[in-house]
Amino acid sequence: MRERESPTITGIGVSPGRVVGPVVLMPAPIAEPAISDRIAVGVDRATSAQRITTASAQVRDELTSAAAHASGKSRELLEATAMMAADPLLVTDARRRVLENGLAPARAIWDVAGQVCDDLTAVGGVVAERTRDVRDVRDRLVAAVTGQASPGVPRPLEPSVLVATDLAPADAATLDPAKFLAVVTESGGPISHTAIIARALGIPAVLGAVGAMGAVVEGSIVLVDGGRGTMRRDPPAELIASLAAATRPARTFDGYGHTADGVHIALVANVVDAASAVVAAEAKAEGVGLFRTEVGFLGREEAPSVAEQVEAYRGVFAAFPGRMVVIRTLDAGGDKSLPFLGLPVASNPALAPRGWRAATQLPAVVDDQLDAIARAARQESADVWVMAPMVATPQAAAEFVARCELHGLHRAGVVIEVPSAALRARQVFEHAAFASIGTNDLAQYAMAADRLDASLADLCDPWQPAVLALIAAACAGATHADRPVGVCGEAAAMPALAPVLVGLGVTSLSMTPRALADVAAVLATTTAADCARLADLALDAPDARAARERVRSAIPALLDLGL
Ligand code: PEP
Ligand code: MG
């Protein structure tokens, strides 16, 4: 009976790998206390107010100790949140509302946090982005005063599978691969931040697994298959044993991507700075397919000088002497904030002037950046290619290429991530020396589905046949002009999708360095003709899920490779 009950929940496999382990559940989000939540008659107000002071110290200590075990950005985030939890103004104001108005401590904290969020929102820009941190502190304080489990990622005693309704990017960023064997969430999709982070950390992940929370309890044993997108509760002993026997070998990439019949597919890396470029070089990436230059300057109020930019770019070029490095000019606007550009607040950020469109309004910024790239390129031996994001028309491609020429940058191309550019690829390639397909945005714009909105994740999926058709159109333009065309969106890091992209005509794949070995392994099992057949299979599918399933079952090697 128990065996028959053992359910398998299916979602979207976004980070491959098969593991078995006990479940830890992500605590439920903290609900807003009732407006009418007041201190009961007969309860001392001073004692209630003291609970806020105690909770503040408790949350500060928890976060400080979590920070001590984290590093880099996660550590900074935790330290900043710890300071906010102990903020005397916040604590004093909440206490006052308890002492003077008789509010229950949880309600008082909620109201004060609401007031702070309103103030931050009124300032706008990067300041307004801090409201997320304020809400995080609010939830932790409310949990502490009401005796609920602290929100956020739990700290399991043994390596476990994290099952959650949803996982915020900030939580995903703190996941320690030594503690979490896999992640399963009910929401999210293949290009959500959680998926991107899980892939970068090498943690198997299944997202969009509706019903996952209800199918397990804390401690349930589950088998997660991050390639197929399944979570099976109480897997039979033989299956666990076979999995243990077939422990996935630590796969490495030998530095040369190819199909089974020897067609070279350059496997290159996405990087953001010198440190990530060094990691990519160590993983034997054949070069850099996407250097996101804006990431190093996010949140900056002051424009980086040319000299500062030269330093930053040289750091990446130096990691790949003699190799191709594709550097993308600033992709500001939308959800990526570069305050020094002074862009107006957009009513519809994804459709506002972002990327190259914003750049054309800021000619000095463009010239400074191209100048810095040219100088850095002259000082290093990397083979530097430059591309502009968010190019929608052949004319914009022509403008960018001409601008690069003025700076002595002769390899200039574009990111194809707006459907119009894919559909007009032939004309785009009359100017662009190459293109890289940004499948994250291409999916967002083709499907009219916000890439940050987890509830639309099934639409915003590079497996969508409509998105694949646009990739095919972009590739047809490249083939006609005999120009190279890569993919630099998350699609490139999906092992089952890689042969499809090659079949559509893509000549290089740029991804997080961790994905290189898996993608290389799958490509090495499929011939160019197989890839073309798989591409047709996916293009003909009725929807993304069917495309993925059809292709997966047509590549039996995926299972052998543990993908
Ligand atoms: C993309 O849109 O696919 C891409 C690679 O660019 P970004 O994710 O930085 O927008
Ligand atoms: Mg993009």
Side-chain angles (χ1 to χ4, degrees):
M1 180 65 190
R2 181 140 191 81
E3 192 64 0
R4 244 190 302 134
E5 269 176 10
S6 156
T8 296
I9 299 287
T10 304
I12 302 171
V14 300
S15 180
R18 275 185 293 162
V19 291
V20 173
V23 164
V24 279
L25 293 172
M26 187 83 180
I30 300 297
E32 177 176 352
I35 298 270
S36 56
D37 203 1
R38 307 183 70 79
I39 299 174
V41 181
V43 174
D44 179 37
R45 288 189 179 186
T47 311
S48 297
Q50 184 54 30
R51 281 172 44 210
I52 295 178
T53 312
T54 310
S56 152
Q58 179 191 324
V59 171
R60 181 203 55 210
D61 291 352
E62 273 171 18
L63 291 168
T64 309
S65 113
H69 293 95
S71 58
K73 282 259 177 292
S74 312
R75 186 187 188 119
E76 284 170 26
L77 197 76
L78 288 164
E79 282 170 350
T81 319
M83 271 175 63
M84 203 183 275
D87 179 6
L89 288 178
L90 194 139
V91 174
T92 310
D93 195 358
R95 283 179 55 98
R96 187 184 53 75
R97 290 171 195 240
V98 173
L99 293 168
E100 292 176 11
N101 308 339
L103 285 187
R107 186 67 231 178
I109 291 165
W110 198 274
D111 288 349
V112 173
Q115 181 66 59
V116 175
C117 286
D118 288 349
D119 294 347
L120 294 175
T121 307
V123 178
V126 263
V127 175
E129 286 167 21
R130 303 212 62 205
T131 52
R132 175 191 272 268
D133 303 334
V134 174
R135 282 195 292 270
D136 180 32
V137 166
R138 173 198 69 192
D139 291 352
R140 289 175 189 278
L141 291 172
V142 169
V145 290
T146 53
Q148 299 176 68
S150 203
V153 176
R155 272 177 258 156
L157 298 173
E158 58 179 319
S160 303
V161 172
L162 180 65
V163 180
T165 308
D166 190 13
L167 199 58
D171 286 332
T174 64
L175 291 181
D176 176 354
K179 297 202 180 91
F180 293 99
L181 299 165
V183 173
V184 179
T185 67
E186 296 208 346
S187 62
I191 60 172
S192 63
H193 285 113
T194 304
I196 294 172
I197 293 167
R199 266 195 294 275
L201 293 172
I203 300 178
V206 178
L207 308 191
V210 178
M213 287 292 271
V216 291
V217 292
E218 193 87 10
S220 297
I221 299 299
V222 292
L223 188 159
V224 176
D225 187 330
R228 295 171 125 188
T230 55
M231 175 182 76
R232 178 165 183 183
R233 199 190 70 202
D234 301 330
E238 321 81 74
L239 200 57
I240 299 179
S242 70
L243 197 68
T247 310
R248 219 177 131 201
R251 197 169 286 139
T252 51
F253 176 45
D254 66 6
Y256 185 77
H258 59 88
T259 60
D261 52 343
V263 177
H264 178 221
I265 304 298
L267 299 185
V268 288
N270 291 354
V271 306
V272 295
D273 55 14
S276 58
V278 169
V279 170
E282 281 167 4
K284 295 214 175 80
E286 295 181 53
V288 169
L290 170 62
F291 172 11
R292 289 178 162 105
T293 55
E294 68 282 356
V295 174
F297 310 123
L298 288 179
R300 286 272 294 261
E301 302 281 346
E302 301 259 316
S305 66
V306 171
E308 183 183 351
Q309 293 188 58
V310 171
E311 272 313 288
Y313 305 155
R314 280 190 70 183
V316 171
F317 299 166
F320 286 91
R323 297 296 185 116
M324 175 185 83
V325 175
V326 182
I327 179 167
R328 185 179 73 182
T329 54
L330 295 173
D331 186 16
D335 59 319
K336 297 185 214 173
S337 165
L338 294 183
F340 67 84
L341 294 179
L343 294 172
V345 175
S347 57
N348 196 340
L351 303 181
R354 56 167 289 206
W356 178 246
R357 306 152 180 210
T360 53
Q361 297 175 9
L362 303 157
V365 174
V366 173
D367 285 322
D368 276 359
Q369 185 172 31
L370 293 179
D371 184 21
I373 293 172
R375 285 182 198 215
R378 281 197 294 274
Q379 292 171 51
E380 301 293 336
S381 69
D383 176 17
V384 176
W385 302 20
V386 195
M387 64 182 181
M390 293 298 291
V391 165
T393 62
Q395 190 201 352
E399 283 162 9
F400 177 67
V401 172
R403 202 61 164 272
C404 287
E405 278 294 334
L406 291 178
H407 291 269
L409 294 163
H410 305 302
R411 272 281 202 169
V414 297
V415 184
I416 293 187
E417 53 190 341
V418 181
S420 60
L423 295 170
R424 302 272 290 159
R426 264 195 193 211
Q427 291 79 3
V428 166
F429 281 110
E430 283 170 15
H431 312 284
F434 70 96
S436 186
I437 305 174
T439 46
N440 306 339
D441 278 313
L442 189 62
Q444 152 162 277
Y445 296 124
M447 306 306 293
D450 184 348
R451 64 190 266 189
L452 303 178
D453 188 329
S455 67
L456 299 173
D458 56 337
L459 286 173
C460 201
D461 182 339
W463 280 98
Q464 282 289 351
V467 178
L468 297 176
L470 287 167
I471 296 172
C475 291
T479 308
H480 180 260
D482 196 20
R483 301 272 157 84
V485 62
V487 166
C488 61
E490 285 304 303
M494 299 175 185
L497 190 51
V500 172
L501 297 174
V502 170
L504 293 172
V506 164
T507 54
S508 70
L509 296 168
S510 189
M511 64 201 84
T512 172
R514 270 189 194 266
L516 287 164
D518 288 344
V519 169
V522 176
L523 280 182
T525 68
T526 45
T527 63
D530 292 337
C531 291
R533 198 170 44 83
L534 293 166
D536 284 342
L537 213 57
L539 280 170
D540 284 347
D543 56 32
R545 198 171 278 258
R548 186 186 290 108
E549 275 161 19
R550 285 182 189 184
V551 167
R552 285 193 67 84
S553 37
I555 314 178
L558 281 173
L559 217 56
D560 302 334
L561 292 166
L563 300 169

